[in-house]
Amino acid sequence: MDSLFENKYIRSKELVKEVTRSLILKSPAFIVLYVIMALCLIINIWSSAITGEYDITILVYVIVFAICLAVIYMSNSSRIIKADNELNGGQPMEISSVVTEDGIKCTCSNGSVNDIAFASIKKVRSTKNIVFIVTKAKLSYIFPKDSFTKGTA
């Protein structure tokens, strides 16, 4: 079967951080939390302007929330890179994907191969630099737009 698109990239720490930002930190659940925290902070500031009293607990909640986001972001990125290095003998993971009329075949440099049928794709999302494919099995596959060796994003 002739390939329609081919994509080959090395999963670097920068790429993993961008994926983490896009999939986790910009997810609808986190956006709702951002809005709630911002509203709490604004209401607290507005209330303190009227009453002259400022509730420090809201500020603490916002700071703790920001710290938790930073920890999630850094630990997730580090965990993925560490797992890649362990699985691939200390080398960064190189991933090659081929899209045909039958589906998508992803091959990793450690020898693992994943075949994705088009029917199993649940969601496709695109950012400035990456195309994300999420399957019904809740697996995410990424295609950096600048890594296409055949076809375009």
Short mmCIF file of all heavy atoms in Angstrom, two decimals, residues 116-123 133-141:
data_model
loop_
_atom_site.label_atom_id
_atom_site.label_comp_id
_atom_site.label_asym_id
_atom_site.label_seq_id
_atom_site.Cartn_x
_atom_site.Cartn_y
_atom_site.Cartn_z
N ILE A 116 -2.81 1.89 13.85
CA ILE A 116 -4.01 2.62 14.23
C ILE A 116 -4.98 2.58 13.05
O ILE A 116 -4.68 3.10 11.98
CB ILE A 116 -3.68 4.09 14.56
CG1 ILE A 116 -2.54 4.17 15.56
CG2 ILE A 116 -4.91 4.82 15.07
CD1 ILE A 116 -1.87 5.53 15.60
N ALA A 117 -6.12 1.96 13.27
CA ALA A 117 -7.16 1.96 12.23
C ALA A 117 -7.88 3.30 12.29
O ALA A 117 -8.06 3.87 13.36
CB ALA A 117 -8.13 0.82 12.48
N PHE A 118 -8.28 3.80 11.15
CA PHE A 118 -8.97 5.09 11.12
C PHE A 118 -10.26 5.05 11.95
O PHE A 118 -10.65 6.04 12.54
CB PHE A 118 -9.27 5.52 9.68
CG PHE A 118 -8.04 5.93 8.92
CD1 PHE A 118 -7.71 5.30 7.74
CD2 PHE A 118 -7.21 6.93 9.40
CE1 PHE A 118 -6.58 5.69 7.02
CE2 PHE A 118 -6.07 7.31 8.70
CZ PHE A 118 -5.76 6.68 7.52
N ALA A 119 -10.91 3.89 12.02
CA ALA A 119 -12.15 3.76 12.79
C ALA A 119 -11.91 3.93 14.29
O ALA A 119 -12.84 4.27 15.03
CB ALA A 119 -12.79 2.40 12.51
N SER A 120 -10.68 3.71 14.75
CA SER A 120 -10.40 3.82 16.18
C SER A 120 -10.01 5.24 16.59
O SER A 120 -9.80 5.49 17.77
CB SER A 120 -9.29 2.84 16.58
OG SER A 120 -8.05 3.26 16.04
N ILE A 121 -9.94 6.16 15.65
CA ILE A 121 -9.58 7.54 15.98
C ILE A 121 -10.81 8.26 16.53
O ILE A 121 -11.86 8.30 15.91
CB ILE A 121 -9.02 8.28 14.75
CG1 ILE A 121 -7.70 7.64 14.33
CG2 ILE A 121 -8.83 9.77 15.05
CD1 ILE A 121 -7.11 8.20 13.05
N LYS A 122 -10.64 8.80 17.72
CA LYS A 122 -11.73 9.48 18.41
C LYS A 122 -11.71 10.98 18.15
O LYS A 122 -12.74 11.62 17.96
CB LYS A 122 -11.63 9.22 19.92
CG LYS A 122 -12.70 9.84 20.75
CD LYS A 122 -12.50 9.51 22.21
CE LYS A 122 -13.52 10.22 23.08
NZ LYS A 122 -13.28 9.93 24.49
N LYS A 123 -10.50 11.56 18.15
CA LYS A 123 -10.39 13.01 18.05
C LYS A 123 -9.08 13.38 17.37
O LYS A 123 -8.06 12.74 17.59
CB LYS A 123 -10.46 13.59 19.46
CG LYS A 123 -10.26 15.07 19.57
CD LYS A 123 -10.56 15.65 20.95
CE LYS A 123 -9.82 15.04 22.08
NZ LYS A 123 -9.94 15.76 23.34
N ILE A 133 -3.55 13.03 17.50
CA ILE A 133 -4.59 12.04 17.22
C ILE A 133 -4.82 11.27 18.51
O ILE A 133 -3.88 10.74 19.10
CB ILE A 133 -4.19 11.08 16.08
CG1 ILE A 133 -4.10 11.86 14.77
CG2 ILE A 133 -5.17 9.94 15.97
CD1 ILE A 133 -3.68 11.03 13.59
N VAL A 134 -6.08 11.24 18.95
CA VAL A 134 -6.44 10.51 20.16
C VAL A 134 -7.36 9.37 19.73
O VAL A 134 -8.34 9.58 19.02
CB VAL A 134 -7.15 11.42 21.18
CG1 VAL A 134 -7.52 10.65 22.44
CG2 VAL A 134 -6.28 12.62 21.53
N THR A 135 -7.03 8.16 20.17
CA THR A 135 -7.82 6.98 19.81
C THR A 135 -8.87 6.70 20.86
O THR A 135 -8.86 7.26 21.95
CB THR A 135 -6.92 5.74 19.64
OG1 THR A 135 -6.34 5.42 20.91
CG2 THR A 135 -5.84 5.98 18.61
N LYS A 136 -9.78 5.80 20.52
CA LYS A 136 -10.82 5.40 21.47
C LYS A 136 -10.23 4.72 22.69
O LYS A 136 -10.83 4.72 23.76
CB LYS A 136 -11.82 4.47 20.77
CG LYS A 136 -12.65 5.18 19.73
CD LYS A 136 -13.57 4.22 19.00
CE LYS A 136 -14.31 4.96 17.91
NZ LYS A 136 -15.10 4.05 17.08
N ALA A 137 -9.04 4.15 22.56
CA ALA A 137 -8.35 3.51 23.68
C ALA A 137 -7.63 4.53 24.55
O ALA A 137 -6.83 4.18 25.41
CB ALA A 137 -7.37 2.47 23.17
N LYS A 138 -7.87 5.83 24.30
CA LYS A 138 -7.28 6.95 25.05
C LYS A 138 -5.76 7.01 24.90
O LYS A 138 -5.04 7.38 25.82
CB LYS A 138 -7.66 6.89 26.53
CG LYS A 138 -9.13 6.86 26.78
CD LYS A 138 -9.58 8.04 27.54
CE LYS A 138 -11.05 7.90 27.85
NZ LYS A 138 -11.80 9.04 27.65
N LEU A 139 -5.27 6.64 23.72
CA LEU A 139 -3.85 6.77 23.40
C LEU A 139 -3.68 7.99 22.50
O LEU A 139 -4.48 8.21 21.60
CB LEU A 139 -3.34 5.52 22.70
CG LEU A 139 -3.39 4.22 23.50
CD1 LEU A 139 -3.01 3.04 22.62
CD2 LEU A 139 -2.47 4.31 24.70
N SER A 140 -2.65 8.76 22.76
CA SER A 140 -2.39 9.95 21.95
C SER A 140 -1.17 9.72 21.07
O SER A 140 -0.16 9.20 21.51
CB SER A 140 -2.12 11.16 22.85
OG SER A 140 -3.26 11.48 23.59
N TYR A 141 -1.30 10.13 19.84
CA TYR A 141 -0.20 10.08 18.88
C TYR A 141 0.02 11.49 18.37
O TYR A 141 -0.93 12.23 18.15
CB TYR A 141 -0.54 9.14 17.71
CG TYR A 141 -0.72 7.71 18.15
CD1 TYR A 141 -1.96 7.23 18.54
CD2 TYR A 141 0.35 6.85 18.20
CE1 TYR A 141 -2.14 5.93 18.96
CE2 TYR A 141 0.20 5.54 18.62
CZ TYR A 141 -1.05 5.08 19.00
OH TYR A 141 -1.20 3.79 19.41
#
